[in-house]
């Protein structure tokens, strides 16, 4: 029977894009990235500057987050950006975010509206496309699959990009 292995630390939200791309936030809004080494270290988590309430991680290394004010950020800490924050703010407001990959980023705002990232945040007045439906949480996968849960606990799989 498979077992869960306890990893030291404490988080209130976690996202795993792959074995090496695991991120989390704690109840204080602190952001952590898994170091990849959970054996023999006092803490396998590396603190990343910033404050978030939700985080999404894609299989391709993409990481996004939202803060308590609903502001949306894309992680750019792995890029060589001189004199810039590790987090690039993206226009819009969300309360939950899910990342399957760079091209599959979804979110839900505080009113329950569902949005898909258009892929264009340079010069676009709104880089988010509203998708019909209402949700409290959303999940996105690297293969383009998207699921959401509404306030009643009903579960939905997105079929908008499928033929016929």
């Amino acid at each position: 029977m498979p077992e869960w292995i306890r990893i030291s630390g404490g988080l209130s939200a976690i996202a795993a894009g792959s074995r090496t791309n695991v991120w989390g936030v704690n109840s204080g809004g602190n952001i952590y990235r898994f170091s990849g080494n959970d054996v023999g270290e006092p803490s396998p988590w590396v603190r990343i500057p910033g404050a978030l309430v939700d985080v999404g991680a894609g299989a391709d290394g993409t990481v996004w987050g939202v803060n308590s004010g609903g502001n949306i950020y894309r992680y750019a800490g792995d890029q060589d950006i001189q004199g810039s924050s590790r987090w690039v703010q993206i226009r819009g407001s969300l309360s939950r975010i899910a990342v399957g990959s760079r091209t599959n980023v979804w979110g839900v705002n505080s009113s329950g509206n569902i949005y898909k990232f258009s892929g264009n945040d340079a010069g676009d007045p709104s880089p988010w496309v509203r998708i019909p439906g209402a949700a409290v949480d959303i999940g996105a996968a690297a293969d383009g699959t998207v699921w959401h849960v509404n306030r009643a606990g009903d579960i939905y799989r997105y079929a908008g990009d499928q033929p016929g």
Side-chain angles (χ1 to χ4, degrees):
M1 175 166 207
E3 294 183 30
W4 292 93
I5 299 169
R6 171 122 168 63
I7 307 299
S8 66
L11 300 172
S12 58
I14 194 165
S18 68
R19 181 181 184 109
T20 59
N21 192 32
V22 181
W23 290 68
V25 296
N26 68 12
S27 59
N30 298 317
I31 308 164
Y32 294 92
R33 181 181 64 216
F34 183 60
S35 70
N37 185 3
D38 57 6
V39 179
E41 282 191 33
S43 175
W45 300 98
V46 176
R47 172 101 185 264
I48 303 297
L52 299 172
V53 295
D54 195 27
V55 65
D60 61 1
T62 304
V63 179
W64 290 61
V66 294
N67 70 10
S68 61
N71 298 315
I72 307 163
Y73 296 92
R74 183 179 59 232
Y75 185 68
D78 57 348
Q79 300 170 4
D80 188 20
I81 302 173
Q82 296 298 324
S84 180
S85 169
R86 291 178 177 222
W87 296 97
V88 176
Q89 187 170 358
I90 306 299
R91 287 184 205 92
S93 179
L94 298 172
S95 57
R96 302 288 294 167
I97 197 153
V99 178
S101 67
R102 181 183 60 79
T103 59
N104 195 34
V105 180
W106 292 70
V108 176
N109 71 9
S110 60
S111 298
N113 298 321
I114 301 169
Y115 293 92
K116 179 180 182 180
F117 182 61
S118 69
N120 181 13
D121 59 3
D124 193 343
S126 177
W128 299 95
V129 176
R130 174 116 184 253
I131 304 297
V136 294
D137 198 13
I138 195 156
D143 66 0
T145 304
V146 181
W147 295 67
H148 85 262
V149 177
N150 69 13
R151 291 191 195 289
D154 300 323
I155 305 163
Y156 294 88
R157 181 178 45 83
Y158 184 64
D161 290 340
Q162 296 178 357

